Amino acid sequence: MSGQIGGRHVTNLTELEIAAIGCGVNVADGHARQELTSSQRKIVNRLPGLFAEAATASAAGLDWRAQQAYLSAVGQHTAMAGSEVLTCYSSSVAMEILGRSAYAAGIRRVAIIHPTFDNIPDIMRGVGMTLQPVSEEELADGTAALPAGTELLLVTTPNNPTGAVLAADALAHWARACAASGVILVLDTSFRGFDERAQYDHYAVLAEQGCRYVVIEDTGKLWPTLDLKAGFLVFRRGDELPVRRVYTDLLLGVSPMILLLIHEFADDAAAGGFGELRQFIAANRGLLRGELAACAPISFPDAGSRISVDRIRVPAGTTGTGLWQALRDDGVHVLPCRQFHWADPDAGDRFVRVALCRPPEEIGAAAAAIRAQAGSGLPPTRRPGASVSA
């Protein structure tokens, strides 16, 4: 979908998310906007002391401790043994650094999981890559054939928006295949913290199979820290990709205050915070699906998803774009899914995505608006590319 919001031409999902911030009921972006837990509130109440500590502590030491705390909290216990880890402002910055590094190394042909969040293929295109889609289902069962000439395979796990997780045996399969063919395997694991199935030690699997790898980890989707966050760019020690060189073109480092905050939140997560988070997301998913259970024209295609978003399938004869527009006119902001299907947008127009990392009353309000639209007859199919006015 492309169109107009407030007189501006819109082409990507992030622009739609920006337009939703502070406007009515916002269940569009996947950032954490729920209330702090009691233990997280105690950390925030210590901010003056943490600021003073960050001002005097070794920045390199804080960086190492934040990396170690987070990676251990999500089960990646061997990550730092054989890998270099660079801390970035966000996972998107890490992806940009990866793309520039790969391009500088002469890589041009990239295979990317399909569907997935559109900024991943957009960033890769932006640095000059030629892209080919690889089906999420065929990656999961190992039946995919890498497109001819593939030099880098990029997989999002858990995937956004479907929540699909690449199991350990599937990861081992693709790591072996990449090692045998000289392909670099890249994983974006930004939603890992929501799903224990994604918390087996990926780095142990990658090291055992001997493939070249880059993994992007992210704290930004997990905790309601007002977007105080970091992405971690993890790659095999000694790899020929000029990752550190490109990194230093863009960054000096991440604020020591943010590093210390991540350390504290990661320790809290490991001590039970992740369990609370998963229960919270599961309850909101149950609320959304329960409120819409009687709306026969719509359904939920991702039965096993545990991440902090949920897709809704709209019935034949309507589109996700049409439902997005109708809800937006009512002051409720979801995401249409055309751009997630970056190689086949029409296939994505059967869905909208709802963010679950919100207070339950916002999930209830969004569900009520969707139910009202379903009860009145969902909007008719909107022609792709039609103007969308504010």
Side-chain angles (χ1 to χ4, degrees), residues 117-203:
F117 196 78
D118 67 343
N119 81 330
I120 295 174
D122 284 351
I123 288 171
M124 290 294 132
R125 284 195 194 98
V127 299
M129 300 300 185
T130 299
L131 309 185
Q132 292 291 331
V134 183
S135 156
E136 174 187 271
E137 293 82 1
E138 293 179 351
L139 283 166
D141 63 21
T143 61
L146 289 182
T150 295
E151 298 169 279
L152 186 150
L153 171 62
L154 201 161
V155 181
T156 310
T157 177
N159 198 12
N160 174 20
T162 67
V165 173
L166 197 67
D169 58 347
L171 176 60
H173 167 82
W174 290 112
R176 283 194 301 273
C178 288
S181 55
V183 172
I184 299 173
L185 179 57
V186 177
L187 305 176
D188 182 330
T189 63
S190 296
F191 285 84
R192 191 200 292 278
F194 294 102
D195 196 333
E196 290 178 290
R197 298 172 300 179
Q199 294 182 15
Y200 63 88
D201 194 335
H202 289 45
Y203 299 90

Side-chain angles (χ1 to χ4, degrees), residues 89 93 96-97 100 245-253:
Y89 296 142
V93 172
E96 175 76 16
I97 292 169
R100 292 192 185 193
R245 175 68 181 84
V246 175
Y247 177 91
T248 56
D249 283 342
L250 298 175
L251 296 176
L252 175 64

Side-chain angles (χ1 to χ4, degrees), residues 68-127:
Q68 181 67 41
Y70 178 76
L71 290 166
S72 295
V74 292
Q76 307 310 298
H77 303 294
T78 66
M80 298 181 72
S83 308
E84 291 192 51
V85 186
L86 299 177
T87 306
C88 306
Y89 296 142
S90 68
S91 60
S92 295
V93 172
M95 187 67 69
E96 175 76 16
I97 292 169
L98 163 66
R100 292 192 185 193
S101 302
Y103 189 89
I107 291 169
R108 298 294 184 271
R109 297 186 64 84
V110 177
I112 301 181
I113 190 171
H114 190 267
T116 199
F117 196 78
D118 67 343
N119 81 330
I120 295 174
D122 284 351
I123 288 171
M124 290 294 132
R125 284 195 194 98
V127 299

